[in-house]
Amino acid sequence: MTKHKILSFGELLLRLSSSGDSFLGTDAEVAVFPGGSEANVAASLGQWNVPCSYLSRVPDNELVSQALSTLESLGVDTSPSLLEGDRLGLYFLLSANGLTKGEVVYDRKYSAFSQLQPGTIDWDAVLENYTWFHWSALTPALSEPLASVCQEALESAQRNGLTISVDLNYRNKLWNYGKQPIELMPDLLKYCDVVMGNIWAANKMLGTAVLETLGRDTTPDTYFEHAKESALEVFGLLPRCKHIAYTFRFMDSATHNLLYGTYHTKDGDFISAINETNGVIDRIGSGDAFMAGLIYALANDKGGQETIDTATAAGFKKLFVKGDFGNGSM
């Protein structure tokens, strides 16, 4: 059993996804799932019996109650969440399984979470009983006040000795209030012990080098070398950072996915096996399952190779589970 108790912080969302090729139409059917990157991470950790809580700001209504109850049923404590505000953030998936070609439409403006202001949360009090704080780059992408809320949380987490992990989720559609990630993220990332993302997100958030010639046909061995160089640069920029993991995900069709990961410390570099399938059921949440697997491995003091193998396996197995949360496969 892990010695850690983890708090995951972010926006709870509802996902409305088409069951077929079209979202609207006489034959269209829409499925609804609770989600959100940080909730997805918590859902996986809860199913692996890692003590885990989730903090969001959500309206007090029956829809939210059902979403939070789903998390509770998976082993996640949702009691830190704030029940206030007027609406829950939504996103629409205009295809059946999340092929990422502009088919996601966000409806998150004016949500209860997006209206969260600095000074609202007493972070020292909230974090008192936790050893690990998890957040993602999706939160400061929503507004400048939310970036300030993240700053408050990170300062408190560092002050109270928590391990801090971040997913460098980059969604260009969300950064639309006049700031670019490179303007805000370096100051937030300096608090982090664990950084997960990919070499392109690191470039967007920290300005690290990435070659424009890299693509789908670049070999894993070549990507591994670029990952090592990127990680070395990140370690130089973020002195507190001890662990970096990158995912490499490629899709050739709606049901295809090729996935592997790399893991880096200041003492070593590791690459997972190459996982490939033509049987994808739902690719949403795969990166979050990878993040959860990384946290699980690190919280249980796994070695370098086992850490990246655990994270990658969790991310890969999520591809075969409908919905955002996954079923705890790892």
Side-chain angles (χ1 to χ4, degrees), residues 4-8 38 41-43 45-46 49-54 75-78 130:
H4 283 285
K5 186 178 181 185
I6 296 164
L7 180 69
S8 189
E38 306 83 4
V41 169
L45 293 171
N49 298 314
V50 177
C52 183
S53 301
Y54 178 63
V76 179
D77 167 30
T78 65
Y130 295 95

Side-chain angles (χ1 to χ4, degrees), residues 165-177:
S165 61
V166 65
D167 185 341
L168 301 183
N169 273 319
Y170 176 65
R171 303 287 184 271
N172 64 326
K173 290 181 181 179
L174 293 181
W175 288 90
N176 59 13
Y177 61 89

Side-chain angles (χ1 to χ4, degrees), residues 45-276:
L45 293 171
Q47 290 177 86
W48 300 332
N49 298 314
V50 177
C52 183
S53 301
Y54 178 63
L55 169 55
S56 192
R57 184 178 188 262
V58 287
D60 187 1
N61 61 40
E62 180 57 27
L63 194 59
V64 169
S65 177
Q66 289 188 25
L68 293 178
S69 293
T70 302
L71 277 171
E72 292 275 355
S73 73
L74 299 177
V76 179
D77 167 30
T78 65
S79 63
S81 287
L82 306 173
L83 297 177
E84 53 190 43
D86 295 320
R87 64 177 300 256
L88 190 61
L90 309 174
Y91 77 100
F92 299 83
L93 188 62
L94 306 186
S95 63
N97 70 348
L99 191 63
T100 54
K101 290 186 178 173
E103 295 168 341
V104 172
V105 176
Y106 294 107
D107 181 17
R108 299 171 69 163
K109 283 193 174 180
Y110 312 112
S111 67
F113 184 83
S114 74
Q115 304 296 295
L116 185 58
Q117 295 294 315
T120 304
I121 298 173
D122 181 347
W123 284 105
D124 285 346
V126 167
L127 295 173
E128 186 174 358
N129 295 314
Y130 295 95
T131 64
W132 192 301
F133 178 72
H134 176 68
W135 66 292
S136 91
L138 295 170
T139 299
L142 298 175
S143 73
E144 202 154 6
L146 275 174
S148 297
V149 172
C150 288
Q151 179 86 26
E152 289 179 336
L154 294 166
E155 287 176 359
S156 174
Q158 184 186 68
R159 190 163 56 243
N160 289 287
L162 279 73
T163 298
I164 299 170
S165 61
V166 65
D167 185 341
L168 301 183
N169 273 319
Y170 176 65
R171 303 287 184 271
N172 64 326
K173 290 181 181 179
L174 293 181
W175 288 90
N176 59 13
Y177 61 89
K179 293 285 186 180
Q180 289 302 309
I182 195 72
E183 297 177 72
L184 294 173
M185 289 303 296
D187 284 341
L188 299 176
L189 295 175
K190 69 184 182 185
Y191 296 94
C192 297
D193 303 281
V194 181
V195 173
M196 193 284 273
N198 60 51
I199 58 175
W200 298 276
N203 166 260
K204 288 286 185 185
M205 311 256 169
L206 286 166
T208 51
V210 64
L211 286 180
E212 292 183 6
T213 53
L214 299 174
R216 170 68 178 89
D217 297 325
T218 304
T219 66
D221 286 347
T222 302
Y223 269 127
F224 190 26
E225 292 307 313
H226 284 279
K228 291 178 191 175
E229 292 172 12
S230 176
L232 195 61
E233 208 174 340
V234 173
F235 283 132
L237 292 167
L238 307 176
R240 272 186 65 91
C241 181
K242 304 172 190 68
H243 309 273
I244 297 170
Y246 289 138
T247 58
F248 294 89
R249 295 188 278 175
F250 303 97
M251 55 206 80
D252 298 333
S253 71
T255 56
H256 172 265
N257 200 288
L258 187 150
L259 169 68
Y260 56 96
T262 66
Y263 168 62
H264 312 272
T265 68
K266 291 171 183 175
D267 299 318
D269 303 279
F270 307 87
I271 185 169
S272 75
I274 314 301
N275 298 270
E276 190 166 12

